[in-house]
Amino acid sequence: MGPNRGMRAHDYAARRERMVQQQIVARGIRDERVIEAMRRVPRHLFVPEDRRHLAYEDRPLPIGEGQTISQPYIVAYMTAALQLKGDEKVLEIGTGSGYQTAILSLLARWVYSIERYASLAERARRRLAELGYRNVSIRVGDGSAGWPEEAPFDAILMTAAPPTIPLPLRQQLADGGRLVGPVGNRYDQMLIRLTRKGKQWVQEQLVPVIFVPMVGRHAWAEDQDDEWPGVSSFQE
Ligand code: SAM
């Protein structure tokens, strides 16, 4: 038996509530809908079983394939920055564990999410279906090219960092739509929000962050992938 022995659903619920109060509300997230979504989604079911006891800690966690589930505060911050009201069509680049996808699905009309690793996409798809998140479509592929058949999107969330915002993503943003995500290299990344106003795109710099790279045709090249920290460099 691993470290999860004896942990029950209500223990996780108590940890989740503490996470919401101490990491989300106390740090200034004000969007009530985002706070409620963070309260509802069982984050521990989106992390590998042997790490469930760490699911509500203030940190990212490895999920396989050298990838991570982001820190809860960052998930809440990025989601709030999208300013969702409930009727949006959202595109997410980097499904990962599916946790952020679940949060978005509670806050928007439909979520389209793209993941480059089939193993992660398949696990996320299964988990989201089991938990009853129905307004979600997941595709395996290169998200730096977007999802042209479903464009335009009212909101786009990138959960991996390209060197610059991929042109197809700019083009697939609806008028008035917001794109939020990290941009930069391993050492220097900034979370940005891009708002489309007709033929113009207004860019705001939000906060410095650290994310895994977006690897794709309109992002980092495959052979640059190993310049980035992988699971082995995680401090446990
Ligand atoms: N939002 C995820 C969660 O809640 O677990 C965390 C995502 S993780 C920080 C970033 C993900 O982006 C990884 O799973 C990675 O494989 C994926 N990724 C990187 N480049 C991509 C690309 N071009 N297209 C689709 N997914 C990509």
Side-chain angles (χ1 to χ4, degrees):
M1 282 277 227
N4 302 316
R5 189 163 61 160
M7 279 287 282
R8 306 245 169 79
H10 66 265
D11 297 325
Y12 286 118
R15 288 186 180 202
R16 189 158 60 249
E17 185 54 33
R18 216 175 313 133
M19 171 197 88
V20 168
Q21 290 308 329
Q22 296 176 355
Q23 299 173 37
I24 311 298
V25 176
R27 289 191 190 144
I29 303 294
R30 295 278 171 266
D31 186 325
E32 281 301 332
R33 296 178 69 242
V34 173
I35 294 169
E36 188 52 30
M38 298 294 292
R39 242 186 214 123
R40 277 175 58 189
V41 177
R43 181 174 163 96
H44 61 284
L45 298 180
F46 290 87
V47 307
E49 220 163 322
D50 61 347
R51 291 204 166 86
R52 278 194 184 157
H53 60 297
L54 301 174
Y56 296 103
E57 304 268 305
D58 188 15
R59 52 181 282 192
L61 290 169
I63 54 171
E65 307 285 10
Q67 306 303 318
T68 54
I69 175 172
S70 304
Q71 177 193 12
Y73 173 66
I74 284 290
V75 172
Y77 185 98
M78 289 169 74
T79 308
L82 285 175
Q83 301 169 321
L84 300 172
K85 299 283 176 270
D87 58 351
E88 296 87 353
K89 200 168 165 182
V90 180
L91 175 66
E92 178 189 37
I93 315 303
T95 318
S97 68
Y99 173 68
Q100 169 82 74
T101 321
I103 297 280
L104 292 171
S105 86
L106 294 178
L107 298 170
R109 181 161 50 86
W110 204 274
V111 184
Y112 297 86
S113 187
I114 311 177
E115 171 55 52
R116 68 186 279 261
Y117 287 104
S119 60
L120 296 181
E122 195 38 55
R123 209 181 307 150
R125 192 181 279 137
R126 214 175 327 119
R127 185 46 40 97
L128 288 162
E130 276 165 16
L131 294 173
Y133 298 97
R134 306 253 177 267
N135 54 337
V136 169
S137 306
I138 293 179
R139 164 193 269 195
V140 177
D142 175 9
S144 73
W147 195 318
E149 307 89 313
E150 292 296 343
F153 298 97
D154 306 300
I156 299 180
L157 187 67
M158 307 188 303
T159 72
T164 55
I165 300 167
L167 184 59
L169 300 186
R170 280 177 185 265
Q171 290 168 335
Q172 291 173 32
L173 202 53
D175 194 8
R178 284 87 50 209
L179 176 152
V180 169
V183 172
N185 59 35
R186 174 178 179 166
Y187 305 103
D188 184 18
Q189 290 176 23
M190 186 59 79
L191 192 68
I192 59 98
R193 175 166 54 199
L194 192 72
T195 305
R196 183 164 190 175
K197 295 187 171 158
K199 290 198 165 69
Q200 296 202 318
W201 287 263
V202 178
Q203 186 168 321
E204 299 160 81
Q205 300 208 341
L206 303 177
V207 286
V209 285
I210 304 175
F211 273 81
V212 295
M214 184 182 291
V215 178
R217 182 152 170 250
H218 305 271
W220 295 102
E222 184 86 44
D223 56 10
Q224 284 163 314
D225 202 5
D226 57 9
E227 290 177 20
W228 290 73
V231 170
S232 58
S233 61
F234 259 82
Q235 303 295 314
E236 295 266 351

